[in-house]
Amino acid sequence: MCPKSETHLCSSFFLFQQPQRRDPGNSSTCEEKGKSLFKYHSVLHDGRPTLLQRAKRSWVWNQFFVLEEYTGLEPLYIGKLHSDMDKGDGSIKYILTGEGAGTTFTIDDSTGDIHAIQRLDREVKAQYILRAQARNRLTDRPLEPESEFIVKIQDINDNEPRFLDGPYQATVPEMSKIGTSVIQLTATDADDPTYGNSARVVYSILEGQPYFSVDAKTDMDRETRENYTVVIQAKDMGGQLGGLAGTTTINITLSDINDNPPMFDQRLYQMSIPESAPVGSVVGRIWAKDRDIGVNAEMKYSIIDGDGRDTFDISTDPTNLFGIITVKKPLNFENKPSYTLKVEGANTHLDPAFRHRGPFKDVTIVHVSIEDVDEPPQFDLPAYYVELPEDAEIGTMVKTVSARDPDAANNTVRYSIDRSSDPDKYFYIEITSGSLMTVRSLDREEVGWHNITILAMEMNNPTQIASVSVAVRVLDVNDNPPSLMHYLEAYVCENAKAGQLIQTVTAVDPDEPLGGQHFYYSLAPEAVNNPNFTLKDNQDNTAWILTRRGGWSQQDQTVFYLPIFISDGEQPVQSSTSTLTIRVCSCDQEGNVMSCNAEAYSLPASLSRGALIAILACIFVLLVMILLMLSLRTHRKKPYLCDEEENVHENIVRYDDEGGGEEDTEAFDIAAMWNPREAHHHLGKMRQDMLPEIESLSRYVPQACVMGGGSGDSNVHGYVLAKLLEADMDPCAPPYDSLQTYAYEGEGSVAESLSSLQSGTSNTDHEYDYLNDWGPRFKKLAEMYGVLETNSPPLW
């Protein structure tokens, strides 16, 4: 008989058996099928086409099936292994190896019974591959070849369907047609989909009806309800009783479409704005409300009618929802106090599927009132321009400006000049008439334009002030004579020939005649017949200075002065005389100046060398005296006065006679240095170190401070001690000693007497006629001290 697992073996055989030729009437038993199977494997493993000898099968193997999730207390019996060589005496030992052997599966090595000792879960592991072997218990010799078999876990419905990505978010346009796909969901069941109905899932809606049921008949309007929650159930076993179920939530949001037209919340808007509002000022805003949102609610506003279409403008704010009304032109309450606007608001994004719900626009009326404002005066012109000749008399009326009050009150206006625009006060304006007049002479060459700012002020409201600019152009009058430009000095070379050009002169004139400048040149009347130079007028506002002779020499004359007469061509004709200085210079062959030593040749040619030496000696003595005086002045000490009100007098001692030198001790009586009128200094004052500030170094010594008694007026020792005490106690005394030196002339002096009292008796020769023999360099000294030789050359 077949073993216990015969049925499985036979069914497995038929699953894995390859087709073989056999007699149609021959029926095979399980044992025969098993033998055929071994025969097939022999062929398969041998790999050769020859058939092996049929052997008796003694080893049983198969594929075992076991249900998952066994919860019994006893180990779960799976199957049995048996060999034909087993006599039941326990001499055969069955061994199980492979996946789960010893941990999940155990085998009775004596009987071959296999049990599961752990709970099996097909979703964790669907099958196990095991190997079985029969050995002699005593010798451990294999009695059968090792065979492999499979333990498959059969599925039971122990897992419910699950939505792995839930909860879900979905969006669907409002007013969508029935049957519109919203979202696709998939539930996952861990059970075996190939065995039974454990993984056959059926979906249903638990919440969200009637909007999301198959037979829904209601349109979904976002403006009515925007968010929906739908609960979806997934049930296995085909939805039959006993199946497991899982649920998830879908949050569905209706997206907006433009299915609602805009509408103004008011049929009439009342607004106001002052007339002084500048262009671009905001008057107000309006709003055509739309139940839609986003781009479907965006608006475009326009003024389609009304008397204010040219005065006001409307635009959409950055949110594209509101209409902003602004001022387009200046407002004037006196001209027009109110305006009416007809405004239209329309959607900018239309949905063609809902045009039948239109029109998607609306119209409203806006009434704008202009508020009166006290305005400053207004001039009749925005600016004034006046031309005035520069020779206009003082008091000439330049222009009359006019301004009026634009308000209904029409207040009186007064005029004035903004002094910052006329700092030099050239003009005056009559306060009531607005007549602008001159109060100073105008000079175009000094100020060519005057930009005057005229102020107009209301009498009743001084804060209302307007201004206007008056541009006064000063017209030119020929009131300036021309004069030479730049070249007021020229030179002529010693080797210059007659008729040679030495200078081209041009003139300038501050005036600017309309026809341009035209100058006329000529020599002054007193220089017309001079033998040295002549002038040629080129008739192009320039003139040439030419030589009339040759043979120029610096020794003869170094400088010539040439007066040039210049006149202009305008009326009244203006003229002037300019002097051109011409120097005689040494030049090379190319005419380049080498030297123009005018000072060397300014002395008379007959000046002798002795006279020049005398002049230089005088200059040297003069310099020595100046240096001596400066030296004495720097050594003179000034009295430092600490009190400006202190009455201090100098004791001036004069020396009218010469003494006997250092040996003369009776030439000066020291008692004269005492000043009985000197003010007494306070002995309590402390000494202060400071620089002297008084001119004289002499000090007044108080008699009370003289040490040595009353008989010491001539005592030099007492005088010195008194001066020392004074210096120590005087806070105004300088911080250094004062040294006075008295140098006496007379006998015993090395310098002897320097007196000039007896110089008149000297026999020194004071005749300077010899200076005429020293040459032209000492000519000037000879003229001063000797006989003057008059031989003066002409100036030109």
Side-chain angles (χ1 to χ4, degrees), residues 199-424:
R200 183 185 174 190
V201 180
V202 175
Y203 299 89
S204 62
I205 297 178
L206 299 183
E207 296 181 13
Q209 298 172 338
Y211 300 103
F212 295 96
S213 62
V214 176
D215 57 349
K217 299 181 180 179
T218 305
D219 292 334
M220 292 180 293
D221 189 358
R222 186 202 63 81
E223 288 73 33
T224 303
R225 182 178 177 184
E226 184 175 2
N227 298 308
Y228 295 85
T229 300
V230 178
V231 179
I232 303 296
Q233 181 189 68
K235 189 174 183 181
D236 58 14
M237 299 298 292
Q240 298 178 3
L241 185 64
L244 302 178
T247 61
T248 189
T249 301
I250 306 174
N251 296 315
I252 301 176
T253 302
L254 299 184
S255 61
D256 184 62
I257 62 174
N258 193 6
D259 59 340
N260 294 279
M263 293 184 63
F264 285 101
D265 54 356
Q266 294 180 224
R267 295 291 92 188
L268 176 64
Y269 289 86
Q270 294 284 353
M271 301 180 182
S272 62
I273 188 170
E275 62 175 336
S276 60
V279 174
S281 300
V282 176
V283 181
R285 72 174 188 174
I286 58 176
W287 183 21
K289 295 183 178 179
D290 195 326
R291 298 178 63 193
D292 299 318
I293 60 174
V295 296
N296 298 319
E298 292 183 358
M299 305 295 298
K300 180 181 180 181
Y301 297 90
S302 59
I303 301 175
I304 60 177
D305 200 2
D307 57 0
R309 297 179 62 180
D310 298 332
T311 308
F312 299 93
D313 197 4
I314 190 169
S315 60
T316 307
D317 75 327
T319 64
N320 294 321
L321 296 179
F322 298 93
I324 308 299
I325 300 176
T326 56
V327 178
K328 187 177 181 180
K329 290 184 178 180
L331 306 175
N332 193 320
F333 171 82
E334 288 72 27
N335 294 340
K336 190 171 179 60
S338 65
Y339 295 88
T340 300
L341 306 175
K342 187 176 182 180
V343 181
E344 179 186 81
N347 282 138
T348 57
H349 298 81
L350 301 180
D351 191 339
F354 294 92
R355 287 187 179 272
H356 63 280
R357 290 175 174 254
F360 288 85
K361 57 185 178 181
D362 196 13
V363 177
T364 188
I365 302 299
V366 180
H367 185 268
V368 181
S369 299
I370 309 302
E371 299 176 354
D372 187 21
V373 176
D374 190 6
E375 301 173 89
Q378 293 181 354
F379 287 91
D380 54 357
L381 292 176
Y384 296 88
Y385 172 77
V386 182
E387 293 181 349
L388 193 66
E390 61 178 326
D391 61 351
E393 296 181 358
I394 297 176
T396 301
M397 188 176 70
V398 179
K399 186 70 176 179
T400 299
V401 299
S402 177
R404 66 176 184 85
D405 183 9
D407 298 318
N410 195 16
N411 293 320
T412 304
V413 177
R414 293 291 182 263
Y415 303 93
S416 62
I417 296 177
D418 184 357
R419 282 306 168 191
S420 62
S421 64
D422 185 26
D424 297 328

Side-chain angles (χ1 to χ4, degrees), residues 496-638:
K497 307 298 182 181
Q500 182 173 336
L501 174 65
I502 64 171
Q503 184 65 54
T504 300
V505 295
T506 58
V508 292
D509 192 336
D511 298 321
E512 293 182 0
L514 297 177
Q517 298 283 6
H518 188 75
F519 302 121
Y520 301 93
Y521 301 88
S522 63
L523 293 178
E526 64 271 19
V528 171
N529 298 323
N530 78 89
N532 300 314
F533 304 98
T534 184
L535 181 144
K536 179 183 179 182
D537 192 343
N538 297 322
Q539 300 299 317
D540 60 353
N541 290 340
T542 64
W544 289 350
I545 306 299
L546 306 173
T547 60
R548 283 188 172 181
R549 66 177 178 87
W552 306 90
S553 175
Q554 295 186 26
Q555 295 182 358
D556 296 337
Q557 186 172 351
T558 59
V559 179
F560 295 89
Y561 300 99
L562 187 65
I564 300 175
F565 181 79
I566 310 170
S567 63
D568 55 22
E570 295 295 320
Q571 295 297 329
V573 176
Q574 300 289 338
S575 62
S576 67
T577 300
S578 299
T579 300
L580 180 67
T581 301
I582 304 175
R583 297 185 180 275
V584 180
C585 300
S586 297
C587 304
D588 56 13
Q589 294 182 355
E590 297 179 356
N592 298 322
V593 176
M594 298 177 61
S595 65
C596 292
N597 191 359
E599 292 77 10
Y601 294 95
S602 62
L603 296 176
S606 59
L607 187 62
S608 63
R609 182 176 300 176
L612 180 60
I613 294 175
I615 293 175
L616 295 177
C618 292
I619 295 175
F620 178 77
V621 172
L622 182 60
L623 291 176
V624 171
M625 294 178 64
I626 293 174
L627 293 175
L628 182 60
M629 294 176 62
L630 293 176
S631 176
L632 293 177
R633 177 171 295 182
T634 56
H635 287 80
R636 182 181 301 170
K637 295 184 179 180
K638 302 179 181 179

Side-chain angles (χ1 to χ4, degrees), residues 706-716:
V706 177
M707 300 180 66
S711 62
D713 292 341
S714 61
N715 191 343
V716 176

Side-chain angles (χ1 to χ4, degrees), residues 425-466:
K425 299 182 180 180
Y426 282 94
F427 301 93
Y428 163 79
I429 191 170
E430 211 284 321
I431 190 171
T432 56
S433 64
S435 297
L436 184 66
M437 296 174 291
T438 61
V439 293
R440 287 182 56 185
S441 298
L442 303 179
D443 188 353
R444 188 201 64 84
E445 289 72 35
E446 182 180 351
V447 182
W449 284 85
H450 295 271
N451 294 313
I452 310 301
T453 300
I454 304 299
L455 304 178
M457 179 186 66
E458 291 184 13
M459 282 288 294
N460 296 340
N461 189 359
T463 61
Q464 297 299 326
I465 301 176

Side-chain angles (χ1 to χ4, degrees), residues 13-14 22-33 36:
F13 170 77
F14 289 111
R22 55 195 306 186
D23 294 336
N26 187 15
S27 60
S28 300
T29 63
C30 290
E31 182 178 353
E32 292 174 349
K33 293 178 182 177
S36 299

